[in-house]
Structure formats: C-alpha cells, structure tokens
Amino acid sequence: MNIKIFNIALGLALTATAISANAQKAYKEGVVTISTAMQGQQVEAKSYFRADSAAMQFTAGPATIKILTDVDGKSLVVMVDVPVASIKKAAVATPDEVDQALATLPTLTFAPGTETKVISGFNCKKVVATDSKTQKTYDVWVTNDVTVPMTGIAKYYRSIGGFPVQYTSFSQGQSTEVTVKSITEQKNPAGTFGIPADFEKISLDDLKAMSGGR
C-alpha cells in the first residue's frame, strides 16, 4: 500500500458515517458498502458500525486494510494484513496524530438545494458544501431514508442534515469521490472492532515508511 492509498484510506475512515434527521429506518449495527477510486481503480469497501465503534475494510493488491475508529474520535488504528508476505501490522495513532489528521479536514458550510434523485435505492437531495478555507464547492447527495450511529468522526458532514450517499472524502490535501451502494443491518462478528493477538502493534510513522513515504 503506497502513501497515496494510505491517505485515501485515512480519509475514508474519517468520513465513514454521519447522522441524519427525520429518518425512516434506523440502523443500530451493520455494514455500509461503498464504492470509491484509488489510483484509478474502483475499490469496494465495507464500513462496519455499531454505536461505539467503526471498522472500514478493503483490499489493495495483496493487502487487506482495516481502519478502526471510535465514536469520540480519540482512537485510530490502521491494520495491514498481507498473507503472501506474512505481514500483520496494526499501526496505532497517537492522540496528537489523530488531532493532526482532523486539523487537515475542510470546514464546510451547507446550502440545501432543490434537486433530487435516487442513488442506490436511496431518495437523495443535493446539498452544496463550501469549504471556508479554500472557497471550493462540492455537491453532496444526502438521504433522510436512514440513520446510522455517529461512529465515524466526519465532523464536517455532521450538520449536513442527512446521511451522505454520494460525497467527496478528504485526507491530507487529497480527495476522492465516494458512493454508498448499500446498508445492511447485521450483528457484526466478534473481533470486528478489535486488534487480533497475532498483529504486531507499530506506530503510524512506521506504517507510512512501509507504505513508501512519511
């Protein structure tokens, strides 16, 4: 996993979920399936959630990547499993590193529009997001069909007034487009939100060095 993919993955983890108002269906635990692009390749990721935790998992070449976050935004763990290379690493971010990652995120204001469309079966309305730091605008399609626990730490989408179905994810000055494909209610397997005993704990800097940059 090179450094660009690492940054995209981090951005996805920071924008995993948001809460919506006046919803029709409330999900307490389950998985959100999303589609995004990494290095020109379409990637499907699974974002497992419950009230206190979230875990986003996807594959990048021979590696399986899982990113763990908590509801308070105080913890971030990036797990890398590469069976062909016998690599099992869990990079644990320090509180300062979490704060630094959050500090790079945009500060958005929202202007609801009148356009609507159906995306992945969700009834969506367009909201124009403006980054007060750069004045760039982004079209975000949100739905009020569902609610999902606030187990992501996407502070910049929390007041958008719906659950983002099609949106832009940001990290370390990079952005990528994301589309939610489905939400499934399920009891997630034991261990979904923890670090297995056979994973070696390392620093985030160690992982970045492994990924081809710092």
Side-chain angles (χ1 to χ4, degrees):
M1 184 177 68
N2 67 25
I3 193 66
K4 185 174 182 181
I5 292 179
F6 169 80
N7 285 335
I8 292 171
L10 181 60
L12 289 174
L14 296 175
T15 59
T17 58
I19 201 165
S20 60
N22 305 315
Q24 296 173 346
K25 169 132 181 100
Y27 291 89
K28 294 183 178 180
E29 184 171 3
V31 59
V32 178
T33 301
I34 66 171
S35 176
T36 188
M38 294 187 186
Q39 300 231 297
Q41 301 294 319
Q42 284 300 121
V43 174
E44 182 177 279
K46 303 282 188 181
S47 180
Y48 301 90
F49 63 87
R50 67 184 185 192
D52 62 348
S53 305
M56 178 166 289
Q57 182 171 303
F58 63 97
T59 58
T64 297
I65 314 298
K66 182 187 278 189
I67 302 171
L68 308 177
T69 53
D70 73 317
V71 67
D72 296 321
K74 295 180 180 179
S75 70
L76 173 67
V77 179
V78 182
M79 296 165 53
V80 180
D81 185 1
V82 190
V84 296
S86 300
I87 292 174
K88 288 190 174 185
K89 306 286 188 181
V92 181
T94 66
D96 281 348
E97 287 171 332
V98 174
D99 289 343
Q100 289 169 20
L102 292 174
T104 68
L105 301 177
T107 301
L108 300 177
T109 57
F110 306 110
T114 57
E115 292 182 59
T116 62
K117 66 177 176 179
V118 177
I119 303 172
S120 303
F122 299 101
N123 296 302
C124 298
K125 61 184 178 182
K126 187 170 84 170
V127 177
V128 177
T130 302
D131 183 358
S132 62
K133 297 178 182 178
T134 64
Q135 300 308 309
K136 289 183 179 179
T137 60
Y138 305 89
D139 292 344
V140 183
W141 292 88
V142 303
T143 186
N144 291 120
D145 291 350
V146 300
T147 56
V148 172
M150 188 72 77
T151 45
I153 49 176
K155 296 181 183 298
Y156 53 82
Y157 281 138
R158 286 184 176 176
S159 61
I160 200 169
F163 178 76
V165 174
Q166 198 167 75
Y167 58 92
T168 302
S169 167
F170 307 91
S171 179
Q172 308 294 318
Q174 299 178 18
S175 64
T176 186
E177 301 305 311
V178 177
T179 299
V180 171
K181 308 304 290 185
S182 66
I183 305 176
T184 303
E185 191 165 29
Q186 66 179 41
K187 179 69 174 178
N188 292 311
T192 298
F193 306 102
I195 302 173
D198 59 345
F199 274 67
E200 178 190 357
K201 292 183 180 179
I202 61 174
S203 71
L204 208 54
D205 277 344
D206 289 339
L207 178 63
K208 290 179 181 179
M210 288 174 54
S211 303
R214 296 187 72 87

